[in-house]
Amino acid sequence: MASPRGATNPQVLTGANVVLPTGTVKSGRLAVDGTRITGTAPAGARTVDVTGHWLVPGFVDLHNHGGGGASFSGTAEQILTAVRTHREHGTTTLVASTVTDETDLLAHQAGLLSELAEQGEIAGIHFEGPFISPCRKGAHSEALLRDPEPAEVRKLIDAARGQARMLTLAAELPGGIDSVRLLAEHGVIAAVGHTDATYEQTVEAIDAGATVATHLFNAMPALGHRAPGPVAALLEDERVTVELINDGTHLHPAALELAFHHAGADRVAFITDAMDAAGIGDGRYMLGPLEVEVSEGVARLVEGGSIAGSTLTLDRAFKRAVTVDRLPVEDAVKALSANPARLLGLSDRVGSLEPGKDADLVLLDAEFDVKGVMRRGEWVVDPQLG
């Protein structure tokens, strides 16, 4: 039987450090047949010697606004440009994030994004805004913010046609807790973020069904000894996965270490929160209706100077995690692949290198730089082994 369209011929990758759910196998081997990982070498498989490299699962990004000069608020062509940019950096599964806009415009964009999700190009939609606190708006237009009334939240869920994966909201706002319950009832992740909530209000949101902290520490009150705020509530509850932007700008290394220490490696998801400039470079860009200037890789609003997402790609987040933050490679793999895949309900297909799962993998050299990317058995970035 011929391999599915787009898949490579059967092959076996040998000699690499293969990171499996059970640990790292040195001088291991991984067999691919069609679009899937297989437990045994297929007949006639070619052997690819990747000795001295690392094989890790394809990265899974929960929170991403764009890249390659394009955003997920744009046309289908622009969306695919952003998707391809991040695939080349190892992100084989990506949830497209919107930014605050008029509800009707967001609903229209959700329709376009849902078509691409149905085609398998993205893994669903994350709505970040407009249901967030004006006190913690970050790079969102304050004029477009609104309270999370359940009817308005439901409009976005319906517009996504079953492809809504997550919605970030400030649960302390009027309608917030009821909207958290609504999201949970519809199988959509309720994420606490861009919030001015107290510790107690955050606990109430978690008890109502919130399970994610949107970029923990950023766009929320700082941890205080008399007012611990959302950070303490989100870190302490085992039901919550905490997003972290590991670019060296959004978080001090000690904050990242604190999060890993208290949440544990099984509850951290590295995200990019990337905007158009990811994979491109410095210059001026638009983030929704707001103008952004990127200088030395840091994106800030032209007006006000707030950090405006990131220019991060997940391969850089991985390399920083293991070389600067000194995390075990296995923990970095959890944060970049296994944990977000589980949160999205996709762990039967992606997030780990196991027989029967999609052949999504990243080939890294000894310095943890990307040397190859495979998605569903097809090399997106051909192995560079010279």
Side-chain angles (χ1 to χ4, degrees):
M1 182 182 294
S3 295
R5 183 181 178 184
T8 59
N9 294 324
Q11 58 193 289
V12 179
L13 309 177
T14 64
N17 297 313
V18 183
V19 183
L20 304 175
T22 52
T24 299
V25 177
K26 295 182 178 180
S27 299
R29 63 203 303 265
L30 188 78
V32 174
D33 190 5
T35 63
R36 304 278 181 166
I37 297 169
T38 183
T40 57
R46 70 185 182 98
T47 298
V48 182
D49 186 354
V50 290
T51 299
H53 290 70
W54 292 81
L55 278 177
V56 301
F59 306 141
V60 181
D61 197 352
L62 294 170
H63 186 158
N64 187 317
H65 297 280
S71 88
F72 294 123
S73 297
T75 64
E77 182 179 356
Q78 290 169 334
I79 292 165
L80 291 175
T81 293
V83 168
R84 285 192 294 268
T85 297
H86 286 282
R87 281 185 191 163
E88 290 169 359
H89 291 272
T91 298
T92 52
T93 302
L94 182 150
V95 175
S97 301
T98 62
V99 295
T100 292
D101 210 326
E102 297 287 355
T103 307
D104 288 344
L105 291 176
L106 288 172
H108 174 77
Q109 192 65 18
L112 176 57
L113 289 167
S114 67
E115 291 180 12
L116 294 171
E118 289 160 2
Q119 295 167 16
E121 298 291 348
I122 60 175
I125 306 164
H126 163 219
F127 296 102
E128 188 180 27
F131 310 116
I132 59 177
S133 170
C135 301
R136 305 286 174 176
K137 65 182 183 297
H140 292 256
S141 173
E142 185 169 353
L144 296 171
L145 301 184
R146 56 195 307 148
D147 291 337
E149 295 296 336
E152 293 296 303
V153 172
R154 179 63 186 268
K155 183 185 293 186
L156 294 185
I157 296 174
D158 291 344
R161 304 201 306 261
Q163 300 299 331
R165 295 289 172 261
M166 184 163 67
L167 186 145
T168 294
L169 77 169
E172 76 276 10
L173 296 176
I177 297 300
D178 287 339
S179 289
V180 169
R181 294 193 182 101
L182 174 71
L183 291 165
E185 289 168 3
H186 285 80
V188 179
I189 297 164
V192 175
H194 287 277
T195 177
D196 205 38
T198 63
Y199 172 88
E200 291 77 14
Q201 289 169 328
T202 308
V203 168
E204 185 181 8
I206 296 168
D207 286 340
T211 56
V212 165
T214 293
H215 42 55
L216 186 75
F217 299 111
N218 299 119
M220 61 181 63
L223 181 67
H225 64 291
R226 290 194 182 93
V231 171
L234 295 163
L235 279 177
E236 73 183 8
D237 198 300
E238 294 183 355
R239 294 171 289 182
V240 176
T241 298
V242 298
E243 295 181 348
L244 298 176
I245 308 172
N246 192 27
D247 62 352
T249 298
H250 281 78
L251 296 175
H252 189 282
L256 183 137
E257 184 178 0
L258 177 74
F260 264 90
H261 178 75
H262 285 278
D266 292 331
R267 288 179 45 220
V268 172
F270 283 145
I271 60 164
T272 60
D273 194 18
M275 46 81 72
D276 301 26
I280 294 291
D282 292 354
R284 288 213 171 186
Y285 302 85
M286 297 301 295
L287 184 60
L290 302 179
E291 191 172 13
V292 175
E293 179 156 5
V294 178
S295 177
E296 296 182 354
V298 178
R300 294 186 180 275
L301 291 182
V302 171
E303 185 176 343
S306 292
I307 292 178
S310 85
T311 61
L312 187 64
T313 50
L314 282 183
D315 58 331
R316 286 170 45 210
F318 187 102
K319 181 170 182 172
R320 181 178 177 86
V322 297
T323 62
V324 177
D325 304 313
R326 302 296 180 184
L327 291 177
V329 171
E330 295 80 4
D331 286 354
V333 166
K334 287 181 179 180
L336 283 151
S337 303
N339 297 344
R342 183 181 65 248
L343 187 69
L344 293 170
L346 299 176
S347 56
D348 60 329
R349 287 181 37 223
V350 300
S352 60
L353 301 178
E354 296 179 89
K357 293 193 177 184
D358 289 352
D360 291 359
L361 58 87
V362 183
L363 181 69
L364 304 165
D365 64 16
E367 285 73 44
F368 300 101
D369 292 316
V370 171
K371 294 300 177 182
V373 179
M374 178 183 286
R375 182 175 185 267
R376 298 181 185 173
E378 179 181 6
W379 287 108
V380 177
V381 176
D382 288 328
Q384 303 165 44
L385 304 174

